[in-house]
Amino acid sequence: MGRWALDVAFVWKAVLTLGLVLLYYCFSIGITFYNKWLTKSFHFPLFMTMLHLAVIFLFSALSRALVQCSSHRARVVLSWADYLRRVAPTALATALDVGLSNWSFLYVTVSLYTMTKSSAVLFILIFSLIFKLEELRAALVLVVLLIAGGLFMFTYKSTQFNVEGFALVLGASFIGGIRWTLTQMLLQKAELGLQNPIDTMFHLQPLMFLGLFPLFAVFEGLHLSTSEKIFRFQDTGLLLRVLGSLFLGGILAFGLGFSEFLLVSRTSSLTLSIAGIFKEVCTLLLAAHLLGDQISLLNWLGFALCLSGISLHVALKALHSRGDGGPKPLKGMGSSPDLELLLRSSQQEEGDNEEEYFVAQGQQ
């Protein structure tokens, strides 16, 4: 009887994990293809991103209110001093990362975007070394070489390579390294009480919106104000369809963060990291099959080389977390599968329940 109960529990956990992974894949892969599809007809990616931020803020505020009503415990609200001094740098870096990523969809294919964004681990490692969040080891140097070499091979003589779009994605990956280094430092400040991802999203979105607005005003403001799809619309039905499409993207962005949280809170951050690696493969296969992205054998070899570097990094993290006897890896949410790999542990107790979280920013 006991053996049967263990088998049932194992099968149930496996089915639950598979279901959560598939849910995460639906939101993560879905928002990538959705943003690419939308930018083909709606050429205002910064405005699209700002509307997504507003939707995420709305849903995170609603979630906070529901949790507060059910638990009868007030949610954290930062003072203006802490908000501007400690949260603003992270919010600005996150806004630029997400904004440039969505902007690049105007120029690059999904496959090139996916591969280049995978290089974010490279920049995270570099900035972690600069801020002394990581120690320089030979294995980390090997990870950097594998990812950099894979990125070079994937973009070398690519038939659908676009310099402007590649620069935007690479810039987003570079800023992503700063973003996640700052995020890690922010999470380690337990006195702020932002370990819960819903609270983090709630506090980040307004500053992200304000940080992205100047870029939007310069590059899209005038064109959007004269566009018949928004402000000078003549067809109400077209306007509603455009706004509905943008709102749906915001729901996908929030759903991505929430699905990541569910996956990690029910399993582990290592599960999310491994699932993220396979998600990259699925994204490239779908891009080649559905969108006709042209990927040569050399490009595939470069992608495999990059994934081997990311996989090595995940394995090193897993061994390190088991061997150092330190705190357990932080559970929670991540923004993209290659970014949650470096965030360290932090624990917070609320009443009798222990909550461990990763920060998330919907992304996109």
Side-chain angles (χ1 to χ4, degrees), residues 12 15 26 35 56 67 82 90 93 100 131 139 146 148 150 167 177 179 189 226 245 324 329:
W12 168 248
V15 171
C26 288
N35 285 344
I56 294 172
V67 171
D82 287 336
T90 304
L100 293 180
F131 287 95
L146 287 173
R179 164 195 180 183
K189 296 180 173 63
T226 58
S245 299
D324 61 4

Side-chain angles (χ1 to χ4, degrees), residues 170-363:
L170 196 62
S173 298
F174 175 81
I175 296 173
I178 302 175
R179 164 195 180 183
W180 288 106
T181 304
L182 292 174
T183 297
Q184 178 177 344
M185 298 170 67
L186 184 66
L187 280 177
Q188 290 175 347
K189 296 180 173 63
E191 68 274 11
L192 294 180
L194 293 182
Q195 281 73 27
N196 189 306
I198 298 298
D199 294 327
T200 305
M201 287 192 290
F202 176 80
H203 284 85
L204 283 177
Q205 306 312 306
L207 287 177
M208 289 177 62
F209 187 95
L210 294 177
L212 202 58
F213 185 82
L215 202 61
F216 156 75
V218 172
F219 290 97
E220 293 182 0
L222 180 61
H223 298 290
L224 184 66
S225 64
T226 58
S227 171
E228 294 184 355
K229 290 186 176 181
I230 299 292
F231 291 106
R232 298 187 63 184
F233 70 94
Q234 298 178 357
D235 185 350
T236 305
L238 175 62
L239 174 66
L240 294 178
R241 285 195 297 272
V242 170
L243 293 178
S245 299
L246 294 173
F247 188 80
L248 178 58
I251 295 176
L252 289 175
F254 182 82
L256 171 60
F258 188 70
S259 65
E260 288 172 333
F261 165 64
L262 284 178
L263 177 60
V264 181
S265 63
R266 297 293 182 178
T267 57
S268 68
S269 57
L270 181 61
T271 301
L272 180 59
S273 299
I274 295 173
I277 294 173
F278 287 101
K279 192 218 73 172
E280 304 284 22
V281 178
C282 294
T283 302
L284 283 188
L285 291 175
L286 287 173
H289 179 70
L290 298 178
L291 302 180
D293 288 6
Q294 300 175 13
I295 307 176
S296 66
L297 177 60
L298 180 64
N299 299 150
W300 278 115
L301 290 175
F303 180 68
L305 189 63
C306 185
L307 281 188
S308 66
I310 296 174
S311 301
L312 175 60
H313 182 60
V314 173
L316 291 173
K317 280 296 178 182
L319 292 174
H320 179 70
S321 63
R322 289 183 179 181
D324 61 4
K328 293 180 291 184
L330 183 64
K331 290 182 180 181
M333 296 167 35
S335 172
S336 66
D338 49 325
L339 298 182
E340 34 320 50
L341 311 181
L342 287 183
L343 295 187
R344 292 288 191 155
S345 61
S346 172
Q347 295 182 346
Q348 177 186 25
E349 292 187 356
E350 290 185 13
D352 296 329
N353 298 323
E354 182 185 73
E355 298 180 351
E356 298 175 337
Y357 293 102
F358 237 53
V359 72
Q361 172 39 47
Q363 213 258 30

Side-chain angles (χ1 to χ4, degrees), residues 35-114:
N35 285 344
K36 177 61 179 178
W37 168 79
L38 188 58
T39 52
K40 288 182 177 180
S41 58
F42 188 78
H43 300 158
F44 305 101
L46 297 179
F47 178 78
M48 175 186 74
T49 303
M50 291 173 62
L51 191 59
H52 289 179
L53 297 178
V55 173
I56 294 172
F57 176 76
L58 175 65
F59 276 89
S60 60
L62 180 61
S63 300
R64 277 167 51 97
L66 292 175
V67 171
Q68 182 168 322
C69 289
S70 61
S71 64
H72 303 289
R73 287 183 293 185
R75 308 306 304 176
V76 61
V77 177
L78 296 182
S79 65
W80 280 107
D82 287 336
Y83 190 48
L84 296 177
R85 185 175 68 254
R86 300 188 178 186
V87 179
T90 304
L92 180 59
T94 304
L96 291 176
D97 179 12
V98 177
L100 293 180
S101 296
N102 287 337
W103 196 353
S104 69
F105 278 124
L106 291 176
Y107 309 102
V108 300
T109 61
V110 170
S111 57
L112 181 59
Y113 168 84
T114 300

Side-chain angles (χ1 to χ4, degrees), residues 125-135 181 184 344:
L125 284 172
I126 293 174
F127 284 106
S128 295
L129 292 173
I130 292 175
F131 287 95
K132 300 186 184 303
L133 299 175
E134 290 281 349
E135 295 180 358
T181 304
Q184 178 177 344
R344 292 288 191 155

